[in-house]
């Protein structure tokens, strides 16, 4: 993927500027993407500082979006919000940014869903990715419950009904995503889904929940045999007074998550992992910890059903 971005974008220097003043090509990010939807060659969009209150659907491959200064994309949709027929829109229609494309690079952009706590509004997604070979560098993702969803989703919901989600034009055999030096915050399952994702040098910050309820960083639904989530050299932090946060729980039985060489704060529950109330999940999940640094008030427990290397 690196060769693609280093060569193709230099070879085809098509570029547009998005901003709030008259000198820019577009004032809206979605307007710019839609206008260029029939252009197949690589395009770079320079986004000037400012707040962009819009929900974005990115279906075009071979795109770079580069923020200058403080660029904030803000949405406020939430799962309990009612549609025109009086029905709740559900989790996957709430994303501030939805991606169903390949070879996408986003840098220095803040993606926010500010609908509020899940206890009040239900899930509210900042990023929902159904793309492949997507890179985020120096980006911020802000929300509460379900901040980042990394597809693919399971075939059906746990009750057997289909998911309500944006139109997926292209199904990719792999859904690989990389986060480099990004900041991600949330309360419950704030990084979840079935995608293959690598997080390098990122900060994962747990926010306060009402009534000091426990928090969960990951809720993977990894398909059987897939790689899942890898967190390497990350910083696991929290707001003041946050406690009893778990590294993860399995949204589906083959959840696969690894934390390697991370700095883990004292807000993490001494058990570190939760089985979502089903002991049978312990037979199928793959949870690994390797060479992490734990800042705990009490010794770190050894959990027999988790693969741990604590050297």
């Amino acid at each position: 993927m690196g060769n693609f971005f280093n060569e193709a974008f230099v070879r085809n220097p098509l570029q547009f500027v998005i901003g709030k003043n008259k000198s820019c090509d577009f004032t809206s990010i979605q307007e710019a993407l839609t206008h260029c939807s029939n252009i197949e060659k690589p395009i770079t969009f320079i986004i000037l500082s400012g707040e962009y209150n819009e929900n974005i659907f990115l279906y075009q491959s071979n795109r770079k979006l580069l923020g200058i200064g403080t660029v904030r994309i803000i949405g406020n949709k939430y799962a309990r919000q009612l549609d025109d027929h009086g029905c709740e829109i559900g989790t996957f229609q709430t994303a501030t940014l939805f991606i169903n494309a390949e070879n996408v690079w986003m840098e220095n952009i803040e993606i926010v869903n500010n609908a509020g706590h899940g206890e009040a509004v239900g899930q509210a997604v900042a990023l929902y990715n159904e793309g492949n070979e997507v890179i985020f560098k120096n980006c911020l993702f802000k929300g509460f419950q379900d901040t980042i969803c990394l597809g693919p989703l399971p075939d059906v919901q746990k009750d057997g009904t289909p998911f309500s989600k944006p139109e997926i034009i292209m199904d990719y055999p792999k859904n690989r995503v990389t986060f480099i030096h990004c900041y991600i915050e949330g309360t419950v399952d704030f990084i979840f889904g079935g995608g293959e994702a690598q997080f390098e040098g990122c900060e994962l910050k747990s926010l306060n929940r009402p009534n000091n309820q426990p928090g969960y960083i990951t809720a993977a639904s990894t398909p059987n045999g897939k790689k899942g989530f890898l967190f390497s050299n990350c910083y696991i932090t929290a707001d003041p007074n946050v406690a009893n946060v778990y590294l993860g729980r399995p949204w589906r039985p083959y959840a696969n998550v690894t934390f390697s060489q991370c700095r883990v704060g004292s807000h993490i529950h001494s058990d570190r992992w939760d089985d979502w109330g089903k002991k049978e999940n312990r037979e199928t999940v793959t949870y690994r910890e390797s060479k992490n640094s734990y800042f705990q008030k009490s010794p770190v427990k050894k959990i027999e059903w988790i693969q741990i290397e604590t050297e």
Side-chain angles (χ1 to χ4, degrees), residues 18 79 83 88 135 161 163 170 180 235-236 280 309:
I18 303 168
D83 63 17
E88 294 184 356
I135 291 180
T161 59
F163 291 99
M170 181 67 76
I180 304 169
Y235 310 94
I236 316 304
E280 58 266 33
E309 302 172 17

Side-chain angles (χ1 to χ4, degrees), residues 4-292:
F4 173 85
F5 283 107
N6 291 336
E7 297 174 7
F9 279 91
V10 172
R11 203 167 52 241
N12 302 280
L14 186 57
Q15 180 173 293
F16 296 97
V17 178
I18 303 168
K20 301 299 183 179
N21 59 69
K22 294 181 179 180
S23 66
C24 298
D25 301 305
F26 302 97
T27 58
S28 158
I29 299 170
Q30 187 64 65
E31 177 192 12
L33 294 171
T34 302
H35 181 85
C36 300
S37 60
N38 293 324
I39 301 174
E40 295 185 1
K41 69 178 184 177
I43 300 176
T44 296
F45 296 98
I46 303 297
I47 308 174
L48 302 187
S49 61
E51 293 190 352
Y52 298 82
N53 294 281
E54 51 184 310
N55 292 84
I56 296 170
F57 297 85
L58 174 52
Y59 287 102
Q60 299 84 41
S61 296
N62 307 328
R63 300 293 188 256
K64 266 189 177 181
L65 287 81
L66 304 180
I68 295 180
T70 301
V71 174
R72 304 184 77 220
I73 305 172
I74 304 171
N76 57 11
K77 291 184 177 181
Y78 54 94
R80 296 176 189 165
Q81 186 174 335
L82 301 182
D83 63 17
D84 294 338
H85 303 287
C87 299
E88 294 184 356
I89 65 174
T91 303
F92 305 101
Q93 300 286 3
T94 67
T96 301
L97 170 63
F98 172 71
I99 299 176
N100 182 211
E102 195 166 41
N103 294 324
V104 175
W105 180 294
M106 299 188 71
E107 185 170 351
N108 194 35
I109 296 173
E110 185 174 335
I111 302 163
V112 182
N113 188 317
N114 64 4
H117 279 278
E119 290 77 9
V121 302
Q123 298 88 340
V125 177
L127 166 68
Y128 173 17
N129 179 71
E130 285 279 359
N132 182 47
E133 299 294 3
V134 178
I135 291 180
F136 296 95
K137 184 176 181 181
N138 297 333
C139 290
L140 292 80
F141 301 87
K142 295 185 176 182
F144 293 93
Q145 183 170 350
D146 291 9
T147 306
I148 291 179
C149 175
L150 301 173
L153 301 180
D155 292 334
V156 294
Q157 301 187 70
K158 289 184 176 180
D159 63 5
T161 59
F163 291 99
S164 173
K165 56 188 177 182
E167 180 183 10
I168 296 178
I169 296 174
M170 181 67 76
D171 285 309
Y172 295 101
K174 294 185 177 180
N175 296 85
R176 292 184 293 198
V177 190
T178 302
F179 297 83
I180 304 169
H181 298 156
C182 291
Y183 169 89
I184 305 165
E185 70 177 25
T187 55
V188 178
D189 306 337
F190 61 93
I191 303 171
F192 76 109
E196 179 183 326
Q198 185 164 349
F199 300 79
E200 302 173 4
C202 296
E203 180 180 358
L204 316 178
K205 187 172 185 178
S206 293
L207 306 181
N208 282 293
R209 292 188 71 191
N211 302 316
N212 295 317
Q213 298 176 75
Y216 306 88
I217 296 175
T218 67
S221 57
T222 318
N224 190 10
K226 297 294 184 179
K227 292 183 178 180
F229 304 158
L230 169 61
F231 299 88
S232 60
N233 297 292
C234 290
Y235 310 94
I236 316 304
T237 67
D239 272 345
N241 302 318
V242 170
N244 296 324
V245 174
Y246 292 84
L247 295 176
R249 58 179 181 172
W251 187 28
R252 289 296 188 272
Y254 292 95
N256 188 336
V257 182
T258 298
F259 283 84
S260 176
Q261 301 182 71
C262 297
R263 292 191 175 211
V264 183
S266 60
H267 63 290
I268 296 298
H269 194 286
S270 58
D271 287 345
R272 301 190 301 290
W273 302 93
D274 181 78
D275 60 15
W276 210 315
K278 293 184 178 181
K279 288 188 177 181
E280 58 266 33
N281 284 333
R282 303 182 181 195
E283 303 299 322
T284 54
V285 301
T286 301
Y287 286 151
R288 296 188 185 93
E289 302 169 51
S290 176
K291 300 180 182 179
N292 294 324

